[in-house]
């Protein structure tokens, strides 16, 4: 998006703010300098600020479109920070569109997706994480995700970022002062307070990253991919976890070819489960393609489940190759092998830190409860894990990680050089990375990308 589309133009924008369909009420929202005059033309009445008034709505040609409520918010005390008019009409598709057309013919233009939120951001009503929290609240797949998005909308994430930011500002002030008063810099550097402050900041940043990562995971839903040898029971396990016959199950090895996806929820966490082709050396071109797709799915997984037939427990070499994600090993078909269901104690590495292993039967459902617990544990979203009080996005995690890399390098450099000037520059960079999260240092194209993913009318 070009920068001029983000500048505060004087257009008045209009959009239907409610889902279009049959319903009790629809709301048209108008924002900008013409909002009140459009309200006067549409209602032919004088509406007081923040006092809903029941009026008729007139089309440009004088026809009455509907009767309903008109509500005005005067800038800056509105969602966008501009004059805003809301028209609440009856919830029919035609009547709502007629009313929107009337607003457009009286001088408003149709809003772009996310343009109301964009204006709220540009007018300092909300910062970027709040705007993203708003979009995430509307799209939240689970109650937990909605709760966290709501917290972000209210500023919980911005507050956490700003707390770390404040530490940086304090340090920057300190360093700049030390550079200006070189005699004191010697004392100040030798005291080691400075390194301590940097290390504290490192810790605060690490906590924030793990919270943001979990917040992002809950918002977008976790990707779990199943892999294993042909016939191990991957598709059967998929059907058992999804509680329905999503994937075809047969006793012919090589049944599944495409990656089959299904959304499920475990303890309120949204999960996208992918069943894949069994990994083996295949001669059939379709199966080879299926195996390639299975490998590609593994690369994007948050957790990998490796399904093993408990009667012939050999590992599939390809599946456990280079993937660094948490791996859960499932010993399946215990109804045939006779093993007890649940978490299996293993010590396949010398330190006993092998992947978590769970014994189940995908046919009888034994052990599935334990598997679900283990999955939640691997995602780091179980109740024992520190809670994440806000929603976040991958974008935030990326910015935080960049800041972390800068900070780690800065600490190392400072330990060696003890040079205030270098540190001042490093801190400035870290400050800018964190600023990109809340939008204090946002590039226009970044803003365009964020707001264009919103729906129209928001
Ligand atoms: N008794 C028993 N049979 C099972 C179990 N899980 C799977 N099976 C059977 O094993 C066979 C293979 O199951 P699938 O779920 O198709 O195996 P898959 O891993 O998806 O196989 P591919 O798609 O070919 O890679 C079927 O006949 C299933 O009924 C189980 O827990 N117990
Ligand atoms: Mg299968």
């Amino acid at each position: 998006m070009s920068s001029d589309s983000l500048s505060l133009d004087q257009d008045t924008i209009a959009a239907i703010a409610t889902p279009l369909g049959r319903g009790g009420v629809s709301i048209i929202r108008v924002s900008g300098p013409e909002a009140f005059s459009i309200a006067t033309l549409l209602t032919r009445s004088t509406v007081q600020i923040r006092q809903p008034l029941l009026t008729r709505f007139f089309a440009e040609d004088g026809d009455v479109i509907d009767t309903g409520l008109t509500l005005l918010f005067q800038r800056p005390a509105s969602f966008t920070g501009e004059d805003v008019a809301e028209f609440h009409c009856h919830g029919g598709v035609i009547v709502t569109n007629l009313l929107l057309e009337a607003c457009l013919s009286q001088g408003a233009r149709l809003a772009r997706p996310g343009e109301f939120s964009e204006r709220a951001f540009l007018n300092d009503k909300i910062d970027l994480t709040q705007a993203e929290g708003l979009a995430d609240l509307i799209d939240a797949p689970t109650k937990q995700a909605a709760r966290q998005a709501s917290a972000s909308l209210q500023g919980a994430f911005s507050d956490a970022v700003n707390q770390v930011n404040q530490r940086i500002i304090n340090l920057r002030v300190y360093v700049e002062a030390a550079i200006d008063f070189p005699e004191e810099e010697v004392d100040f550097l030798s005291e080691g307070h400075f390194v301590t402050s940097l290390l504290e900041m490192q810790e605060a940043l690490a906590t924030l990253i793990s919270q943001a990562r979990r917040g992002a995971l809950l918002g977008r839903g976790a990707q779990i991919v199943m892999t294993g040898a042909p016939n191990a029971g991957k598709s059967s396990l998929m059907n058992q976890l999804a509680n329905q016959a999503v994937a075809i199950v047969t006793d012919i090895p090589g049944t599944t070819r495409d990656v089959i996806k299904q959304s499920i929820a475990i303890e309120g966490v949204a999960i996208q489960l992918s069943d894949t082709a069994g990994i083996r050396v295949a001669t059939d071109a379709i199966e080879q393609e299926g195996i390639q797709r299975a490998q590609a799915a593994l690369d994007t997984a948050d957790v990998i489940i490796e399904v093993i037939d408990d009667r012939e427990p050999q590992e599939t070499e390809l599946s456990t190759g280079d993937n660094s994600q948490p791996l859960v090993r499932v010993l399946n078909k215990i109804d045939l092998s006779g093993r007890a269901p649940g978490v299996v104690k293993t010590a396949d590495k010398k330190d006993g830190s092998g992947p978590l292993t769970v014994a189940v039967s995908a046919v009888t459902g034994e052990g599935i409860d334990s598997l679900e617990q283990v999955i939640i544990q691997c995602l780091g979203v179980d109740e024992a894990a520190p809670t994440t009080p806000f929603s976040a996005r991958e974008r935030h995690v990326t910015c935080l990680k960049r800041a972390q890399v800068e900070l780690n390098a800065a600490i190392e450099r400072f330990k060696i050089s003890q040079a205030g000037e270098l540190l001042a520059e490093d801190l400035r960079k870290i400050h800018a990375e964190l600023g990109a999260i809340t939008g204090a240092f946002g590039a226009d194209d970044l803003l365009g990308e964020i707001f264009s993913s919103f729906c129209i009318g928001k």
Side-chain angles (χ1 to χ4, degrees):
M1 192 178 282
S2 67
S3 59
D4 60 356
S5 64
L6 281 161
S7 65
L8 274 184
D9 46 42
Q10 290 301 300
D11 283 356
T12 297
I13 54 173
I16 301 167
T18 42
L20 198 54
R22 294 177 68 234
V25 179
S26 281
I27 300 175
I28 312 271
R29 187 147 63 168
V30 179
S31 177
E34 304 293 317
F36 292 175
S37 61
I38 290 172
T40 308
L41 288 166
L42 232 67
T43 62
R44 302 190 179 173
S45 312
T46 308
V47 186
Q48 303 298 319
I49 306 295
R50 287 177 182 263
Q51 288 181 17
L53 186 68
L54 184 66
T55 64
R56 286 184 289 177
F57 301 128
F58 293 90
E60 206 184 5
D61 59 11
D63 276 0
V64 175
I65 301 170
D66 194 7
T67 54
L69 288 182
T70 299
L71 186 52
L72 304 183
F73 300 90
Q74 190 167 35
R75 77 190 160 92
S78 71
F79 173 63
T80 57
E82 304 174 329
D83 285 344
V84 169
E86 277 184 13
F87 305 107
H88 300 215
C89 65
H90 291 103
V93 176
I94 303 292
V95 66
T96 309
N97 273 309
L98 283 174
L99 195 53
L100 175 64
E101 267 172 38
C103 294
L104 300 179
S105 64
Q106 301 294 6
R109 73 161 166 79
L110 195 61
R112 294 189 306 269
E115 200 171 2
F116 288 89
S117 304
E118 184 182 303
R119 289 187 174 198
F121 168 71
L122 292 172
N123 287 323
D124 282 336
K125 301 296 291 187
I126 51 176
D127 71 19
L128 263 193
T129 58
Q130 289 175 297
E132 289 166 320
L134 172 58
D136 292 344
L137 178 61
I138 291 172
D139 292 336
T142 61
K143 279 188 203 165
Q144 201 175 350
R147 252 200 315 273
Q148 292 178 340
S150 170
S152 282
L153 171 59
Q154 288 162 51
F157 186 34
S158 318
D159 289 349
V161 173
N162 287 334
Q163 268 174 25
V164 177
N165 240 336
Q166 194 54 49
R167 285 172 186 262
I168 297 189
I169 293 169
N170 296 345
L171 282 177
R172 285 188 73 185
V173 170
Y174 216 39
V175 177
E176 305 284 347
I179 295 170
D180 289 345
F181 302 100
E183 318 79 54
E184 302 194 15
E185 184 184 11
V186 181
D187 290 348
F188 144 84
L189 294 174
S190 58
E191 277 171 14
H193 280 154
F194 211 71
V195 173
T196 312
S197 301
L198 285 170
L199 292 177
E200 277 171 13
M201 199 155 78
Q202 202 173 30
E203 205 172 299
L205 200 54
T207 307
L208 194 54
I209 288 174
S210 72
Q211 288 180 326
R213 199 185 276 137
R214 271 198 295 277
L217 189 72
L218 286 171
R220 68 176 157 79
Q223 299 288 331
I224 297 189
V225 177
M226 285 191 290
T227 186
N231 252 358
K234 299 177 291 301
S235 301
S236 307
L237 186 59
M238 161 97 155
N239 294 347
Q240 181 65 244
L241 286 167
N243 247 326
Q244 51 177 305
V246 191
I248 299 174
V249 168
T250 73
D251 57 4
I252 306 164
T255 301
T256 307
R257 272 97 188 276
D258 277 325
V259 176
I260 298 170
K261 298 189 173 188
Q262 173 70 23
S263 299
I264 62 168
I266 300 178
E267 293 189 4
V269 179
I271 290 172
Q272 179 153 77
L273 205 57
S274 299
D275 176 25
T276 64
I279 307 274
R280 66 171 169 181
V281 181
T283 46
D284 168 356
I286 303 174
E287 194 177 347
Q288 279 173 354
E289 173 63 24
I291 292 171
Q292 270 178 25
R293 290 180 184 207
Q295 289 290 346
L298 289 176
D299 293 340
T300 58
D302 295 304
V303 172
I304 295 172
I305 296 183
E306 183 183 25
V307 184
I308 297 166
D309 186 333
D310 194 30
R311 296 167 307 169
E312 358 170 331
Q314 88 275 38
E315 285 176 31
T316 45
E317 282 177 23
L318 284 167
S319 66
T320 49
D322 304 330
N323 299 295
S324 56
Q325 301 96 322
L327 176 73
V328 178
R329 207 164 268 166
V330 170
L331 302 178
N332 188 32
K333 310 196 186 183
I334 55 165
D335 55 312
L336 300 178
S337 73
R339 190 192 289 268
V343 176
V344 179
K345 296 248 178 304
T346 55
D348 54 353
K349 281 191 191 159
K350 287 207 179 73
D351 60 0
S353 68
L356 282 160
T357 303
V358 188
V360 308
S361 166
V363 166
T364 66
E366 288 171 281
I368 297 295
D369 286 357
S370 308
L371 177 58
E372 289 179 343
Q373 292 304 318
V374 166
I375 289 172
I376 290 294
Q377 198 181 324
C378 281
L379 290 172
V381 288
D382 59 330
E383 280 172 10
T387 53
T388 298
F390 44 73
S391 66
R393 293 182 166 197
E394 292 304 320
R395 181 184 81 78
H396 305 139
V397 178
T398 308
C399 291
L400 288 169
K401 279 191 186 153
R402 276 202 221 124
Q404 189 179 42
V405 170
E406 293 280 358
L407 179 62
N408 294 348
I411 292 174
E412 288 315 307
R413 266 198 290 273
F414 183 69
K415 278 183 185 162
I416 297 165
S417 71
Q418 305 272 299
E421 285 85 354
L422 276 183
L423 187 62
E425 176 57 18
D426 284 341
L427 288 174
R428 192 194 58 74
K429 280 195 229 152
I430 299 165
H431 198 180
E433 289 294 353
L434 294 178
I437 296 176
T438 54
F441 293 88
D444 281 352
D445 51 354
L446 168 73
L447 299 183
E449 199 178 301
I450 290 168
F451 287 109
S452 62
S453 69
F454 285 36
C455 56
I456 292 188
K458 201 169 80 233

